[in-house]
Structures are given as structure tokens and as C-alpha cells.
Amino acid sequence: MEIISRHQLLTISIIYQIGTTIIFGFASGAGRDSWLAVLISTCLGTAVVWIYTRITHFNPGLTYIECYPAQFGKLLGTPIAWLHPLLFLYISGRIVADIKNLVPTTILPGTPPWVILLFFMLVISYGLFAGIEVMGKLTEIILPIILLIYLIEVILIFSSGVVHFDNLSPLLDKGWGRIWEVVWPLGIIQSFGESLALALVWTLMNERKRVGRTMIISSLFAGLFIAFTDALAVAVYGEEIFKRATYPMYALIQAISVSDFITQLDATGVIYFCFMAFLKTYIYLFATIRSIQKLTYSNSSRVFIFPVVLIALFMGLTMAPNVVEHIAVVQKVIPYNPIYLSLMIVFPVLLFLVSWIRNKSGTAAS
Amino acid sequence: MRDYIWPWQSNVMMKHPWALPILFLILAVILSFVTWFRSKHAPQGQGQEQQ
Amino acid sequence: MVQKIQLEHNYDYILSGNVTEDLNQFKTIFDNCIDIKFREFDIHGARKGALVFLSGMVNMQTIDFEIMKPLIESDERLFQESAAELNDSDIQNIIENRLLFSSQLSWFEDFPDIIEHVLSGNVAFLLDGLQQVLVINAKDWEKRTVEEPATEAVIRGPREGFQETISTNISLIRRRLKTPQLKMEDMKVGRLSNTQIVITYLEGIVDTKLVDEVKNRIGKIKIDAILESGYVEELIEDNSFSLFPQVLITERPDRVVGNLLEGKVGIIIDNTPFVIIVPGTFFQLLQSPEDYYQRYFVASAIRMLRFFAVLFSLLLPSLYIALTTYHQEMIPTMLLISIAASRETVPFPAFIEALVMEIAFESLREAGVRLPRPVGQAVSIVGGLVIGQAAVEAGIVSSPLVIVVSMTGIASFIFPSFQLGLAFRLLRFPMMIAAATFGLYGILMMLLLLLIHVLRLKSFGVPYLTPMAPLRISGLKDVIVRASWLKQSTHTGELKSQRHQNPFNRLRQRQNK
């Protein structure tokens, strides 16, 4: 049985939740108030994550997936549980497609995308084979490096003299409307609903009681991080460009130009993104494999690695012919897609209530 | 019609957004049968993963 | 208990007490071994005896003056003291206490044991009528003087290095730890070589499970001969397939002692000066004992330099290839222009260029090892420069590349552990291939692959990248910088369980409580 420590869970969650939003952002619709939208999403999202952790708390010993059949009965609970690995698989396919649309267009224009993705999936497979313990150690080592690189980026941005804080004001002159548009449902789903996949990891932590606290710390930190980056992006580019940018954060790195010496560091941004995407995909595939393992009562998870990776690769390759369509799906379809909403918000809330009530009556009776 | 085979593709998701949820539901029900079949393999210690 | 020798045939012979018969048995077994000598004698015509020894491994003076001389000059009446027949123990008593001058003797009756002792350089003393044989220690052979280890020179620190004779090595360690807590247990490995292996540890500091595991693994070795510690290393490692060594190899006694104080186990092997220390972690392999002898600021700075050297030796050529092939925009413009200018005459792409230069450099280095010492150093350096210069002028490589390759080479010499340096040297090549195919993305993926692999490694149960992952802040004090002695952790002897949590707490400083 693998065990990860609290610190490892923290580092995994932080990197995961900062994840791909650091490049795509979800709040560009809110213009210059995006950072505010992010902060609000953070508060609400942290509450959602807390609900997830409470569910595992009320069902001791069971992974998140097993709570559904346990609480809702086998007939209803098992199909709901099965929806999760399918969703996770789809989302990991999305991230693979993200890479397919980003890397060949920015840093490796001559290389066929399937080779790039194949390499990616190979490393992911090795990581899956090695186990989550190894990934925990990996993130432990790499998180400080990531933060350091980010700090250097920020310093370089300020040194490039492109930051204009007056871009950020006036605040809220277009009203709260567009903020709410972004926060619900996209904001909550994008960074915090996706933490659902982390729930499969929680049972492997060595101090179960501290899971909730760890996740709250990580969610808040990630939210602040993204809010800051958003604000910086607006400060550099102004509202209009920010709203139209395909990759708002990536655009930030493109702005670095220190005395003509350090310029054009786009590739670093892409590499940064690749690593974040790597971890997110890893966690999603790990969650998928673990869910399938639990739902089919198998002893070993290794047998599922190959098919799951292959399916994710195939989906990613065929998902979107270009980045515009891909992002359009995120903006227009996903927020209203019943799968996302139900799995990430509706069902957990129900599960939480049911588990809570059962737990209360259980302790009252005994 | 052919679109329905690839419901995760972005163009399909835009035109028929309900295709993916339906696919998931169908798969979930089918796979639940797998769980039901495999329930005999359920180890006795099921659920005692972490205390 | 001394482990039994493993002999090829089963010598089931029981000593009869008749010297002629026993001697014949010896002669048959040692047939065609001209270095085995037999010295038959009789004591004043009353009793017959014989000596069996290996001529190249015994001290002739000892035999002549301490065994033969007292025998021949002994009092005639020695064996005629009482009218009754002297029994065996009386005779043994007489020989031990009144006849021979040696300080190390013992009686054996097991025939294979006696063969083993003779082969180890002892003298076997047979006496008519006795069914036991006296084994006398007279070992002496040609050995190298104790000199500075060739592969681990330091500027400040003792210049003693291990040798091929195991007793000398043991004494080098013993001199530095004058405590009965320092234990030395021995084992014999190798069907034909019967090499003596000594396991050493500090009782009370080491985890006994570790010692047991070490003994277990060594005991499982089934091999004909152990010629060097490398054999043992490969056979007891957790994962011998990996490029990274999971044990520490050293020629320096002070390094061994330092590690013993941290609760590690040392494995000394006869006939080789290289001692194995287990468990070995990545950061231990990057440390040099000199770090502890220099002032701590200096030592910390040098440690940081070493970290950069690690990164350079792995990544520099790959970065060069990736940046010049795929990401030219990242290089500052002036530098880009000069690189482009010098690469204009080069007919190959950056990858081939780098590959050729790297292979040439590695060949030079290997060749330098085989050449006699004064010539070898000069050839490596001069060869590198001259060939590099000539290659640039011929237009085969560009001068920035020569700089890159030589800096990489220099960086790889900074590794205190030769084996780790080798691992990184080899890893450079897949990294270059990844950089040539996928640019920076390839470097990232390759690094991740490498990192995942290294994180999976364990050495005798200890994760390879301790104390960085799993993160132990207290252990980091000794990894990134060398904290001064005042700030190093203290050790309270009874906290063995805590030590299992922090396996490599620095234990050298005890604060007087």
C-alpha cells in the first residue's frame, strides 16, 4: 500500500490546482476584474473542495468512488460511480489535446503532433507504473523550483517596464454581472471541481485527519496565485487584449524583454505549462485507473495502465482540429454540460448530506 | 449520424452537446454490470483501506 | 563464528595421528602445488612431526626462529618427563607453553579447516600421536605501502588509503575509532576464491535490521570468485540495472569512519582497496570528506558549486543543441549572431557536431586512463585542446561547441564519486538525443523520466534521494550547505527509533549535557 505524506499531498494539490489555468485562465471574460472573479471563485471553490473532503471523512476507509454505492445503494450508486472514471478520462483527453494545440504551434513547429504526444504519454505511463508515492516525491522536489521560476519571471516582467497598474482600475465599472458569469459555473468547475480527481489520492495519505486542512491551504494558495497572475496580465496588457488572448498567461511571458538581452522566453512558458499538464494528466489517469480498480475489485492497477493511456491519447489526438474550437468548447459547452455540473457539484452535495445524516444518526444510535 | 460515434470531439460537442452525457450514461450502466459480475472477487477487507 | 570455507571437494579425511599418513594426505591434495612446502622433523628421535606451509605467504624468520629453533634446541627430556604415557592434552600443553614462541596458535582437528588455514598463510604443525593439528600464525607477504588513494585525493585531510590486505584495512579503521562498539564480523564468499569479507559497524548507532540485511544479502551470493568489490556491489544492490550506484565506494578510511558514525555499514573485501558502504544515497555520493575539514563557509560554497556542476554536466550540451536548433529566439541577439557566424562553416547540424565532440572527448578520457601516469594527464589536456582547435579550424565544429564540451567535461570531473560521474556522463547522450528531437520539451520529458527513475530507487530500504524527497528539513542542513558543527544535530544514543526516521542525522557532535 502506498503512502504519501501530508507535505507531498500539499505539493501535489498546489501544482494540480494551479495546473492548466495558469495558461488558459478562465476569467478572461471578466476583463480587468478577472482577479476579483478568481478570488471569489477561490472562496466558493474551497468550500466545494471542503465538501469533497468531508465526504471521505464521513465514510472512513472508503475511497471517494466507493462512497457512492455505499450511500446510495448498489443500484443507483454504481452507475454514478462509473461516471467518474469516464469523466476523468475525458478530461485527461482534453489536457492532451491542450498540449497538441500548444506545443506544435509554439515551440516545435516541424514535429508531427502525435510523436510529441506519444513521448508525453510514455513518460506518464512510466510515472503511473512507478506509483503515486514517487509522484509525491517528484512534486516535493519540483514545487520549489516552479515557484522560483515564477518569481524570476515576475521580477523579469517588472524589469521590462511593461507593467501599468492603472490598467487595473477603475474597478467594477462594468458591474458585477460579468464577474458572476465567469464565476458560475466555469470558475468553480475549472480549478476546484477538478480537484475531485484528487479525492482518489486522499485515502493514501498517512494522516487522514489533516486532509481537509491540507486541501484548504492548497486551494487558497492556488487561487491567490492565479489571481495574482491574472492581475499582472491585465496590468501588462490592458483589458481588451487580455479578453481576446488565447493564452493569457503565456502572453505574460512573451512580454518579458529586459534591455534587449533577455527576450522571447516563450519556450519557458510552454515548458512550464507542459509540466503542469503532465501532473494534471497524471492525476486524472491515476484517478481513472484507481476508480476502475476499485469498481472492478481488481488486485492490481497495472493492467489498466496501458488501455487507459491509449484511450486518453486517442481522444486527445482526435478531439479538436484547432485551438479555437477547443477553447470554444470550454467556454460554451462545458459549463452547461450536465455531467460536469452533476458530478462536481450536485452529486457531491447530495452525497455529503446523506453521509452526514447517516453519520449523525449512526453516532447517535451507538 | 456519424458524429455520434465521436461525441468527445469539439465539433460534436458544439452541435449535439448532449451526446457525450448520453454516452457516459450508457457506458456507466454497462460497466455497472461488470462491477456486479466482479463483486464475487470483492475481498473481505473491502473498505478497510485506511483507518 | 568463522564461516566455513567452501572447498571444491569434500575432504572427508579424519586425521589419524600418524604423521606419515596425514602428510601423505596433504601431499595428495596439494599435488602439483610447488609453493606448498613440507618440513619433516623429529624431536630428539622420539617423535616425528611435520610443518606444512605456503612458502610465499609465511614469514620464514618466524618458522626458523620461533618454531624450528626451539624444537631442535629443546630439552631432550621434554617428552620423557614422566614414566607414564603422556596423553594428548599434556603434549599439547607442553608444545604450547614450553616449546613454541608464537603468540597466535590454536588446535584444529577438522581437516578442511586446516587446509583453509594453510592456504591463508598459516603454518600447520603436525605431531605424531596427536589427532589435532596446531595452526600457527606466521603470515607475511609482499604488500603495497599505505599511500594516498589514487582516485580520491584531497587538499586537506589524511593521506592514508586502503590497501589490498584486509588486516591492514581493518587496522586503519580501528585506529580511528578506539571503541569496543566498533564491530568487525567476517564472512567468506566465493566457491573458489574463498575471499574474506568483513562487515563493520558501530553497535548502538547502526540499525540492527540493516546489518542483518547486509549479512543476508552477502550470504546469498553464489559465485566462483570475488575479485573486486564491484562484484559484491552488483550482487547486493537493490537495483543493479540502474545507471546510478546505490552504494558508496571509497578508498579512504576517514570516509568510511565518517559513514560508520552515521549508522551505515561498511563492507571490507580482501584483495581490494575499495570498501563498500551501504546504504548509499545520491547526496552522500556528492559529498567529499574534505567538506568537513575545511571552514564551513568555504565548504558550503564548494557544495553549491558541485550542484551546479551536476546540472551542467547533464544539461549543457543538450541545452546548446536545443537552443540552437529549435529555440534560437531565446538566445540574446549578439550571442546569437556570433554563434551563427561560427557555425556557418560547419556542415553538420548541431546535434551531430555535439555528438562527435562528446565522443571524441570521452575517448580521450578513456585513453588517458590507460597511459602511464605522467604521460596520461598531459595527453588528455593537450589532446583536448589541440584536437579541439584543429577541429575548429578545419570547420568541423564551431568554437562555442568546444567551450560547451570542455565545460561539461570539467563539470563532470567535480564529482567526488567516480561512479556517479560515470552515470551522468552516460546520461548526457540520451539527453542530447531528446534535445535534438524535441528541443526543450524533450529535455523536460527526459528530465522527468530520469527523475521518476531516480525516485524509485532505494538503497537497502532508504529512498535514494533522501533527504530531499521525502523531505526532511533537518537532513537538508548537510546537503545543500554544510552547517557549522555548532548547528549540526545532536545525537542522543537511545533514540534509535528516531534515527530510523532520520537515517542520516549527523552524529559527530555530542553536546555535553
Side-chain angles (χ1 to χ4, degrees):
Chain A
M1 184 62 63
E2 303 173 37
I3 308 269
I4 54 174
S5 75
R6 206 190 93 189
H7 188 255
Q8 286 167 351
L9 179 64
L10 188 67
T11 50
I12 292 182
S13 315
I14 292 182
I15 296 188
Y16 177 84
Q17 286 174 320
I18 295 180
T20 45
T21 26
I22 203 68
I23 292 288
F24 286 110
F26 55 83
S28 24
R32 70 168 71 94
D33 303 322
S34 54
W35 59 273
L36 196 54
V38 171
L39 284 177
I40 299 177
S41 311
T42 310
C43 297
L44 294 172
T46 311
V48 173
V49 174
W50 182 78
I51 291 183
Y52 297 156
T53 59
R54 289 281 100 188
I55 293 177
T56 22
H57 178 75
F58 288 140
N59 292 282
L62 300 176
T63 45
Y64 182 83
I65 281 279
E66 292 165 324
C67 300
Y68 278 106
Q71 295 286 358
F72 287 169
K74 286 237 177 89
L75 202 56
L76 192 57
T78 319
I80 296 184
W82 269 109
L83 284 175
H84 288 82
L86 296 172
L87 180 67
F88 294 152
L89 200 54
Y90 170 72
I91 299 183
S92 43
R94 286 197 60 82
I95 304 182
V96 174
D98 283 342
I99 299 198
K100 172 173 160 263
N101 287 320
L102 184 67
V103 172
T105 52
T106 51
I107 56 173
L108 294 177
T111 323
W114 64 268
V115 183
I116 299 179
L117 290 179
L118 192 65
F119 196 13
F120 188 76
M121 292 320 257
L122 266 166
V123 184
I124 293 228
S125 313
Y126 189 42
L128 284 169
F129 182 72
I132 190 96
E133 222 181 294
V134 171
M135 286 318 254
K137 295 184 197 164
L138 192 99
T139 49
E140 253 186 323
I141 297 184
I142 297 206
L143 183 68
I145 300 180
I146 297 258
L147 293 176
L148 189 67
I149 295 182
Y150 184 77
L151 198 64
I152 297 180
E153 267 174 38
V154 171
I155 295 177
L156 285 178
I157 289 180
F158 275 101
S159 330
S160 312
V162 290
V163 179
H164 310 291
F165 278 113
D166 26 281
N167 277 336
L168 283 170
S169 58
L171 191 60
L172 285 178
D173 63 338
K174 301 249 174 66
W176 285 94
R178 58 185 193 170
I179 292 190
W180 291 124
E181 257 175 46
V182 173
V183 165
W184 176 271
L186 192 60
I188 303 188
I189 290 181
Q190 177 84 355
S191 296
F192 302 102
E194 295 192 329
S195 307
L196 192 56
L198 279 176
L200 268 300
V201 174
W202 291 337
T203 47
L204 292 172
M205 207 189 87
N206 58 1
E207 298 169 57
R208 268 196 57 239
K209 298 249 167 48
R210 319 279 298 267
V211 172
R213 221 166 307 176
T214 315
M215 291 306 296
I216 292 180
I217 298 178
S218 126
S219 311
L220 289 174
F221 182 83
L224 282 166
F225 196 82
I226 300 176
F228 177 75
T229 320
D230 254 336
L232 198 58
V234 175
V236 169
Y237 282 112
E239 185 178 291
E240 289 305 309
I241 301 184
F242 179 69
K243 278 170 84 164
R244 296 187 204 317
T246 332
Y247 305 112
M249 315 301 179
Y250 172 63
L252 254 187
I253 302 197
Q254 287 177 317
I256 297 180
S257 161
V258 178
S259 70
D260 245 3
F261 190 69
I262 304 179
T263 56
Q264 303 238 305
L265 293 177
D266 316 6
T268 346
V270 177
I271 297 297
Y272 208 73
F273 172 79
C274 280
F275 177 70
M276 304 301 217
F278 174 80
L279 190 76
K280 275 194 92 168
T281 317
Y282 178 85
I283 296 286
Y284 272 118
L285 287 178
F286 177 79
T288 313
I289 290 177
R290 196 123 193 281
S291 315
I292 298 183
Q293 182 197 358
K294 288 286 159 192
L295 286 169
T296 56
Y297 305 114
S298 314
N299 281 328
S300 105
S301 52
R302 297 242 167 113
V303 68
F304 297 116
I305 295 183
F306 187 57
V308 165
V309 166
L310 222 52
I311 296 179
L313 180 62
F314 181 65
M315 278 217 274
L317 274 174
T318 57
M319 196 175 279
N322 58 59
V323 71
V324 177
E325 268 193 44
H326 192 64
I327 299 208
V329 174
V330 176
Q331 303 277 18
K332 300 200 176 8
V333 179
I334 287 190
Y336 309 105
N337 188 304
I339 298 270
Y340 272 77
L341 272 177
S342 43
L343 286 195
M344 289 183 181
I345 301 183
V346 174
F347 286 151
V349 169
L350 285 174
L351 189 58
F352 170 70
L353 289 170
V354 171
S355 311
W356 186 41
I357 296 175
R358 290 243 178 102
N359 191 278
K360 282 233 156 181
S361 59
T363 49
S366 62
Chain B
M1 246 341 253
R2 285 206 59 201
D3 283 349
Y4 296 138
I5 309 183
W6 318 107
W8 63 83
Q9 285 195 348
S10 49
N11 45 352
V12 180
M13 297 254 326
M14 307 257 285
K15 280 204 298 200
H16 315 279
W18 36 264
L20 192 64
I22 302 266
L23 174 73
F24 276 6
L25 278 168
I26 297 177
L27 279 175
V29 174
I30 295 178
L31 289 166
S32 307
F33 281 111
V34 173
T35 307
W36 183 59
F37 277 138
R38 295 272 308 185
S39 57
K40 327 182 216 23
H41 288 266
Q44 282 309 58
Q46 176 91 35
Q48 291 312 310
E49 188 176 274
Q50 259 272 5
Q51 269 302 343
Chain C
M1 199 192 86
V2 177
Q3 236 185 332
K4 282 213 177 297
I5 196 176
Q6 306 155 48
L7 287 175
E8 180 69 1
H9 309 289
N10 235 344
Y11 297 109
D12 277 337
Y13 182 69
I14 310 277
L15 289 160
S16 65
N18 183 329
V19 167
T20 333
E21 265 182 48
D22 295 340
L23 210 53
N24 269 334
Q25 192 65 24
F26 273 105
K27 286 187 184 165
T28 348
I29 289 175
F30 286 121
D31 198 19
N32 283 326
C33 301
I34 61 160
D35 47 342
I36 293 273
K37 303 287 183 216
F38 302 96
R39 171 49 161 114
E40 299 176 64
F41 55 84
D42 59 50
I43 308 180
H44 306 298
R47 279 184 191 265
K48 282 206 176 149
L51 294 178
V52 184
F53 55 90
L54 263 176
S55 64
M57 281 166 77
V58 294
N59 188 342
M60 287 303 183
Q61 300 276 38
T62 314
I63 297 186
D64 294 343
F65 288 102
E66 287 166 29
I67 304 179
M68 294 312 300
K69 183 168 190 280
L71 271 180
I72 294 187
E73 286 182 355
S74 65
D75 198 344
E76 279 198 17
R77 294 170 312 227
L78 200 55
F79 286 107
Q80 296 154 357
E81 287 239 316
S82 72
E85 278 287 319
L86 295 165
N87 60 13
D88 280 359
S89 60
D90 287 340
I91 300 184
Q92 289 183 355
N93 196 22
I94 295 178
I95 296 180
E96 274 180 36
N97 294 320
R98 293 166 63 176
L99 205 55
L100 298 177
F101 286 178
S102 308
S103 50
Q104 283 180 324
L105 3 105
S106 30
W107 291 93
F108 288 90
E109 64 181 17
D110 203 14
F111 195 62
D113 278 350
I114 300 168
I115 303 258
E116 167 194 348
H117 284 291
V118 170
L119 284 170
S120 307
N122 296 309
V123 180
F125 179 103
L126 292 87
L127 196 60
D128 213 6
L130 286 181
Q131 282 192 311
Q132 293 194 333
V133 170
L134 182 63
V135 169
I136 305 165
N137 186 353
K139 288 187 207 181
D140 188 19
W141 51 70
E142 300 295 328
K143 44 184 144 184
R144 202 161 51 103
T145 51
V146 174
E147 52 194 12
E148 181 164 25
T151 53
E152 287 172 72
V154 293
I155 300 178
R156 175 165 177 177
R159 294 191 196 288
E160 283 181 330
F162 286 124
Q163 274 198 331
E164 287 75 9
T165 310
I166 203 169
S167 46
T168 320
N169 296 342
I170 293 180
S171 68
L172 282 171
I173 297 179
R174 181 64 75 179
R175 272 168 34 202
R176 288 169 165 82
L177 278 175
K178 301 189 183 76
T179 162
Q181 278 181 287
L182 176 66
K183 304 291 182 199
M184 307 265 182
E185 297 188 36
D186 84 336
M187 307 178 75
K188 289 231 175 8
V189 181
R191 208 168 46 95
L192 292 174
S193 64
N194 289 303
T195 316
Q196 188 181 15
I197 296 186
V198 167
I199 299 177
T200 171
Y201 55 91
L202 273 172
E203 190 181 46
I205 295 184
V206 80
D207 186 2
T208 37
K209 287 199 290 249
L210 178 63
V211 180
D212 291 337
E213 179 67 21
V214 173
K215 287 201 263 197
N216 194 17
R217 289 196 196 184
I218 295 185
K220 287 202 191 133
I221 297 181
K222 299 225 178 314
I223 195 177
D224 276 347
I226 301 272
L227 295 176
E228 218 278 330
S229 52
Y231 291 56
V232 177
E233 174 190 343
E234 203 176 299
L235 290 165
I236 63 175
E237 253 180 0
D238 281 62
N239 186 350
S240 47
F241 178 65
S242 163
L243 274 176
F244 290 89
Q246 289 134 56
V247 302
L248 197 60
I249 306 269
T250 177
E251 262 188 297
R252 301 183 59 91
D254 52 334
R255 209 159 176 207
V256 174
V257 168
N259 280 295
L260 287 182
L261 285 164
E262 284 179 9
K264 304 213 192 145
V265 173
I267 304 177
I268 314 172
I269 300 172
D270 204 5
N271 301 320
T272 172
F274 289 98
V275 170
I276 301 180
I277 298 174
V278 291
T281 59
F282 184 74
F283 294 105
Q284 295 289 319
L285 288 163
L286 282 181
Q287 287 175 356
S288 150
E290 206 177 358
D291 293 347
Y292 298 99
Y293 307 146
Q294 304 273 19
R295 306 179 69 73
Y296 78 93
F297 247 150
V298 173
S300 304
I302 295 189
R303 267 207 181 150
M304 302 241 211
L305 185 67
R306 243 182 249 142
F307 274 114
F308 281 115
V310 170
L311 286 175
F312 271 18
S313 74
L314 188 64
L315 292 176
L316 205 57
S318 321
L319 279 175
Y320 174 81
I321 295 177
L323 288 179
T324 53
T325 320
Y326 291 95
H327 313 290
Q328 298 90 349
E329 71 272 1
M330 281 181 72
I331 309 177
T333 331
M334 295 308 295
L335 188 58
L336 187 60
I337 294 181
S338 75
I339 293 183
S342 54
R343 288 207 64 220
E344 220 178 330
T345 55
V346 178
F348 311 116
F351 173 56
I352 304 283
E353 215 190 327
L355 200 63
V356 165
M357 269 311 274
E358 285 288 345
I359 293 183
F361 196 84
E362 291 297 319
S363 319
L364 265 173
R365 210 204 292 216
E366 264 308 295
V369 171
R370 318 253 165 258
L371 290 168
R373 188 155 322 166
V375 184
Q377 307 261 26
V379 165
S380 301
I381 298 178
V382 174
L385 286 170
V386 169
I387 292 186
Q389 191 61 25
V392 170
E393 287 186 4
I396 303 181
V397 300
S398 60
S399 21
L401 185 71
V402 175
I403 300 179
V404 164
V405 170
S406 42
M407 277 190 68
T408 315
I410 293 175
S412 60
F413 282 128
I414 295 189
F415 282 90
S417 160
F418 183 64
Q419 295 185 304
L420 196 61
L422 269 177
F424 274 86
R425 265 162 69 184
L426 283 178
L427 281 172
R428 233 188 299 149
F429 290 98
M431 198 61 94
M432 285 187 349
I433 297 179
T437 342
F438 294 106
L440 268 182
Y441 173 79
I443 295 183
L444 175 73
M445 288 289 131
M446 204 66 202
L447 272 177
L448 280 174
L449 207 59
L450 198 63
L451 209 50
I452 294 179
H453 172 75
V454 171
L455 284 169
R456 286 184 71 200
L457 288 174
K458 281 188 190 226
S459 176
F460 283 80
V462 178
Y464 197 58
L465 242 49
T466 310
M468 228 176 225
L471 201 61
R472 296 197 198 293
I473 311 276
S474 56
L476 277 179
K477 272 202 300 254
D478 201 31
V479 162
I480 304 186
V481 297
R482 199 214 94 201
S484 77
W485 288 117
L486 297 171
K487 297 209 181 73
Q488 302 267 10
S489 350
T490 58
H491 158 59
T492 45
E494 59 272 11
L495 294 175
K496 261 206 223 144
S497 56
Q498 192 191 44
R499 204 172 312 106
H500 195 62
Q501 303 282 323
N502 298 312
F504 305 130
N505 252 338
R506 286 262 130 202
L507 300 173
R508 300 186 192 177
Q509 172 94 346
R510 267 182 206 246
Q511 289 191 348
N512 294 323
K513 296 220 185 257

